[in-house]
Amino acid sequence: MANTSKPRPKPRPKEGKLSVYLYIPNIIGYVRVLMNSVAFAICFSDKWVFSILYFISFVCDAVDGWCARKFNQVSTFGAVLDMVTDRISTACLLVVLSQVYRPGFVFLSLLALDISSHWLQMYSTFLTGKTSHKDVKDSTNWLFKAYYGNRMFMAYCCVSCEVLYIILFLIAKSQSESLVDVLLGTLQRVSPLSVLVALSLFGWAVKQLVNVIQMKTAADVCVLYDIEKKHKH
């Protein structure tokens, strides 16, 4: 009797560490780090070159995600590299702005909120066994779900933040500007710049609100994890 069983497929060769480090999206991540390093090195000597390099690096954040899905090169290392690069880039820009505007404490507070919110969200993701910090389908907050559930809405809020910060840096004439005066003066003048600032301000405000919600939600997850752990024992 003929053997009709199908031959077993050959197992795929095991990937080495180097191959993961050389994934296309991860290489894009390294380029982003390099661009940001050059950008911040010249931020006060050439504002326009800084802004262009910084924004290109920010756009590459979406490109590396597309490449990861396109070439099936999604990796935990890549996700962490991506988030760390995003957070450090924004943090550095906020530190720069804190040296340009008064009160600088405003930008340092935004930096603290951004870092703590995303760190708590990542930590709570691991506690619950989720694969992505963007998985918030079980959240009861509609804005939180809308932010992470709609790529276009999230992109608008993220772009708004970075565009607003870059504009504020570009329009500062000295290193002791009043933040309120500069914003009000820009918004009062009818121009494409004032429209762009207004649109960016709205997206920026939504993202800060989401950061607060994210921090509280993630903190609740950590507390509930401890409570359930004690009950099991």
Side-chain angles (χ1 to χ4, degrees):
M1 188 173 178
N3 186 1
T4 57
S5 61
K6 294 181 180 178
R8 290 183 180 179
K10 291 181 180 179
R12 291 176 62 185
K14 192 174 181 180
E15 283 187 314
K17 285 191 294 185
L18 183 60
S19 63
V20 176
Y21 282 124
L22 295 178
Y23 277 176
I24 293 171
N26 293 345
I27 291 173
I28 294 173
Y30 308 144
V31 173
R32 290 185 65 205
V33 172
L34 182 61
M35 279 196 290
N36 280 322
S37 299
V38 173
F40 283 106
I42 62 168
C43 65
F44 287 112
S45 59
D46 198 324
K47 285 187 173 185
W48 278 103
V49 173
F50 160 78
S51 301
I52 291 167
L53 286 174
Y54 183 91
F55 194 73
I56 290 173
S57 171
F58 174 71
V59 171
C60 285
D61 181 27
V63 175
D64 65 11
W66 180 86
C67 287
R69 294 185 295 273
K70 175 73 174 176
F71 301 108
N72 193 25
Q73 293 184 339
V74 176
S75 65
T76 302
F77 168 73
V80 173
L81 174 65
D82 192 42
M83 175 170 276
V84 169
T85 303
D86 288 343
R87 303 282 62 80
I88 291 179
S89 301
T90 303
C92 289
L93 182 51
L94 287 169
V95 168
V96 168
L97 288 171
S98 75
Q99 300 304 302
V100 174
Y101 285 95
R102 297 292 174 266
F105 180 72
V106 171
F107 296 104
L108 297 180
S109 299
L110 291 171
L111 187 161
L113 174 61
D114 189 58
I115 296 289
S116 58
S117 168
H118 283 84
W119 188 88
L120 269 170
Q121 179 68 1
M122 282 294 288
Y123 196 83
S124 67
T125 297
F126 289 124
L127 286 181
T128 53
K130 294 178 180 177
T131 57
S132 172
H133 69 283
K134 296 177 182 177
D135 182 1
V136 297
K137 294 189 291 290
D138 54 351
S139 174
T140 56
N141 188 283
W142 67 270
L143 181 60
F144 196 37
K145 286 198 291 187
Y147 178 81
Y148 278 119
N150 189 308
R151 283 181 180 276
M152 292 300 293
F153 181 52
M154 183 170 67
Y156 160 67
C157 293
C158 292
V159 171
S160 293
C161 268
E162 302 301 334
V163 167
L164 180 64
Y165 295 152
I166 290 171
I167 289 174
L168 284 174
F169 183 62
L170 285 173
I171 63 179
K173 295 182 176 65
S174 68
Q175 285 185 248
S176 58
E177 297 277 11
S178 165
L179 178 60
V180 175
D181 290 346
V182 169
L183 277 175
L184 288 177
T186 304
L187 291 171
Q188 286 170 358
R189 291 191 294 271
V190 180
S191 66
L193 180 63
S194 62
V195 173
L196 185 58
V197 168
L199 288 172
S200 299
L201 267 173
F202 179 75
W204 168 87
V206 171
K207 191 169 191 315
Q208 303 319 306
L209 182 56
V210 167
N211 276 343
V212 172
I213 295 168
Q214 179 170 262
M215 187 164 61
K216 176 62 170 63
T217 302
D220 286 345
V221 169
C222 294
V223 170
L224 288 172
Y225 177 82
D226 284 337
I227 292 172
E228 288 175 6
K229 194 175 178 182
K230 285 181 180 178
H231 284 173
K232 285 178 181 177
H233 294 289

